Amino acid sequence: RLGFGPIAPGERLEDHALGLIDDLPYLKNQERVIFARAGITQPLSLAEYEAHGGLAGLRAATAMDPEAICQTVLDSGLRGRGGAGFPAGIKWNTVRQQVAAQSGPKFICCNADEGDSGTFADRMVMEGDPFLLIEGMAIAARATGAAQGYIYIRSEYPTAIARMRAAIAIMAEAGWLDGFDLQVRRGAGAYICGEESSMLESLEGRRGTVRAKPPIPAISGLHGRPTLVNNVLTLASVPTILARGAAFYRDYGLGKSTGTQPFQLAGNIARGGLVEKAFGVSLRDLIEGFGGGTATGRPLRAVQLGGPLGAYVSAAMLDTPMTYEDLAEAGAMLGHGGIVVFDDTVDMARMARFAFEFCEIESCGKCTPCRLGAIRGKETVEKILRGEDVARNIALIEDLAEVMRDGSLCAMGGLTPMPVMSAIRLFPEDFDRAPRVAAE
């Protein structure tokens, strides 16, 4: 494997010289912006990184004032790739506008706690092109006035942790960080730390639990200081925007969904891997064109988008364009770009139970709707699976979903109803269980 997809049967890795990688069908039809160098350059060779276009964005940023950098990012239309899709330029400008008092510095925190099932793009950036992420963070530091940065990497990524630490040392020794103190911190296996305020709690040495908002981290984040929090793919998009201009980046995509998105194909799929395409590509092109359909050869029945808390879509929805707006209209979300495929043997009622169970296990426990709602939800779906008073219990789940969605402190509890309700809406037959017959 070259990191993007499988070698075809009968082919040998040595048959593909570096100059011919772009001829591989899996790569040829991609629009690689973030992953332009991955698999081409040696990850820890700064000379190769620069020879293939690296550091051009940071050079451009040094000739610009902070406000101009933030405006360029805003003009590009770049939105947070962590799931919320918030305009990155607005967040950067908010941090920039906070006055840096003598009581402490501003911070930049990269959330690399990539915990969604079926996602691996962050890991591929950090292992395959680590200087790209560092360059993006160095540009962000100049734009916001931050003096210190942290990359929070999940403990399950030991290679990424080691490679990022080595790359930071190389960049610092070469003088590219210009006084910007950048460090790696290892997470402790908590899914909830993918939420920005939980990550900040963990960075401060406490248990990862959600903070109430306001204030937002851009105003009062790490150690109570203005903090820019972005994920890996957001920061890794920035060097190209500064090097090539906002218009270059904005020309990719569709409508308000600009740029490219690394889609990660996983689950029951023949050719899993990473596909970087401009927004607007259809789900069908990704799953059938790049992925080759299901691995079992059976008909596709459902696809979960955006991680374990993302909505399910049916086979009838495969022509939906992959944009923030079109997915929202379809009742789904992009999330981190994960795409998990299921064939026609899947039991969607059991998948609804799994969503509640996942929330039960991973909840930080701070708010009641999430902490108790997940437990009650799992118990209620189990009653449906046993055929107990199905209609009443489905109505109960609908009420519970509303409470969790509107009353939870963060997206952990707020999004758990999304896979559950999409499964009930699109696959009602799986919840139509026959009543259990009592033994005579």
Side-chain angles (χ1 to χ4, degrees):
R1 301 175 68 90
L2 296 177
F4 292 90
I7 298 296
E11 291 183 317
R12 298 175 303 169
L13 182 61
E14 57 266 31
D15 290 337
H16 296 281
L18 289 181
L20 300 178
I21 284 180
D22 284 339
D23 292 334
L24 294 174
Y26 200 88
L27 300 177
K28 190 174 183 180
N29 295 321
Q30 296 188 32
E31 284 97 37
R32 289 177 289 152
V33 174
I34 296 174
F35 288 94
R37 278 174 297 271
I40 304 294
T41 60
Q42 294 295 322
L44 294 177
S45 172
L46 189 58
E48 288 190 24
Y49 178 73
E50 189 171 3
H52 286 79
L55 301 176
L58 185 53
R59 283 197 180 93
T62 58
M64 303 167 66
D65 61 52
E67 184 176 1
I69 298 173
C70 292
Q71 188 62 48
T72 300
V73 174
L74 183 61
D75 291 343
S76 73
L78 176 65
R79 296 166 69 169
R81 296 294 191 258
F86 188 79
I90 294 177
K91 184 182 285 190
W92 284 36
N93 222 16
T94 302
V95 177
R96 180 188 67 82
Q97 291 170 348
Q98 305 307 306
V99 177
Q102 294 181 352
S103 58
K106 296 179 183 179
F107 294 99
I108 296 175
C109 295
C110 173
N111 195 331
D113 193 56
E114 186 177 48
D116 284 350
S117 52
T119 60
F120 42 87
D122 290 358
R123 177 176 60 83
M124 290 180 62
V125 169
M126 293 185 289
E127 293 182 5
D129 198 11
F131 296 124
L132 178 66
L133 176 57
I134 298 170
E135 183 180 0
M137 294 190 72
I139 293 170
R142 179 173 178 80
T144 60
Q148 191 164 5
Y150 295 97
I151 307 174
Y152 186 92
I153 306 176
R154 66 189 309 224
S155 58
E156 294 88 344
Y157 286 176
T159 301
I161 291 170
R163 193 153 293 173
M164 287 308 306
R165 284 176 172 161
I168 289 170
I170 292 170
M171 285 278 278
E173 185 178 356
W176 285 105
L177 297 186
D178 191 25
F180 176 50
D181 181 19
L182 183 58
Q183 301 177 31
V184 170
R185 289 290 184 267
R186 184 174 62 183
Y191 178 81
I192 193 63
C193 287
E195 194 276 335
E196 59 181 7
S197 67
S198 295
M199 178 195 69
L200 296 177
E201 288 287 298
S202 180
L203 280 171
E204 291 179 4
R206 292 186 290 274
R207 180 173 174 266
T209 56
V210 175
R211 295 178 180 177
K213 301 174 187 177
I216 59 174
I219 295 173
S220 178
L222 188 64
H223 304 301
R225 302 297 303 156
T227 304
L228 174 66
V229 181
N230 282 139
N231 90 323
V232 173
L233 299 181
T234 308
L235 291 163
S237 300
V238 170
T240 299
I241 293 171
L242 269 292
R244 304 292 295 271
F248 171 83
Y249 189 81
R250 194 173 58 243
D251 283 345
Y252 287 99
L254 183 65
K256 294 182 180 180
S257 299
T258 64
T260 63
Q261 168 66 40
F263 298 98
Q264 296 126 96
L265 307 178
N268 190 338
I269 193 161
R271 295 193 296 269
L274 184 143
V275 178
E276 185 175 0
K277 290 288 288 183
F279 283 102
V281 62
S282 74
L283 192 55
R284 186 182 304 279
D285 286 343
L286 292 169
I287 293 174
E288 296 181 357
F290 287 94
T294 64
T296 58
R298 297 183 65 90
L300 180 147
R301 187 171 189 227
V303 182
Q304 188 171 31
L305 305 177
L309 304 182
Y312 291 99
V313 298
S314 67
M317 302 166 70
L318 290 184
D319 292 317
T320 302
M322 297 295 282
T323 70
Y324 290 106
E325 294 74 26
D326 287 293
L327 288 175
E329 187 176 344
M333 69 175 190
L334 179 69
H336 190 50
I339 297 173
V340 180
V341 177
F342 300 85
D343 70 13
D344 62 351
T345 63
V346 67
D347 184 334
M348 296 307 297
R350 295 191 180 278
M351 297 309 298
R353 180 197 177 280
F354 170 76
F356 279 126
E357 182 181 43
F358 182 84
C359 183
E360 175 190 0
I361 294 169
E362 298 294 347
S363 171
C364 76
K366 188 168 185 176
C367 69
T368 302
C370 179
R371 182 181 67 250
L372 295 183
I375 297 173
R376 299 289 88 85
K378 184 185 74 171
E379 293 171 349
T380 305
V381 174
E382 288 174 345
K383 291 178 181 178
I384 293 172
L385 289 170
R386 296 194 295 266
E388 298 177 10
D389 206 352
V390 172
R392 180 178 178 276
N393 281 314
I394 287 179
L396 183 60
I397 287 178
E398 292 173 348
D399 288 345
L400 177 63
E402 183 178 355
V403 172
M404 293 183 69
R405 184 173 56 245
D406 297 340
S408 298
L409 275 175
C410 80
M412 183 79 231
L415 288 180
T416 295
M418 183 173 276
V420 176
M421 298 312 300
S422 63
I424 292 174
R425 183 180 72 253
L426 296 173
F427 308 98
E429 63 275 15
D430 285 18
F431 295 83
D432 186 18
R433 305 279 171 152
R436 185 174 58 180
V437 179
E440 295 182 0

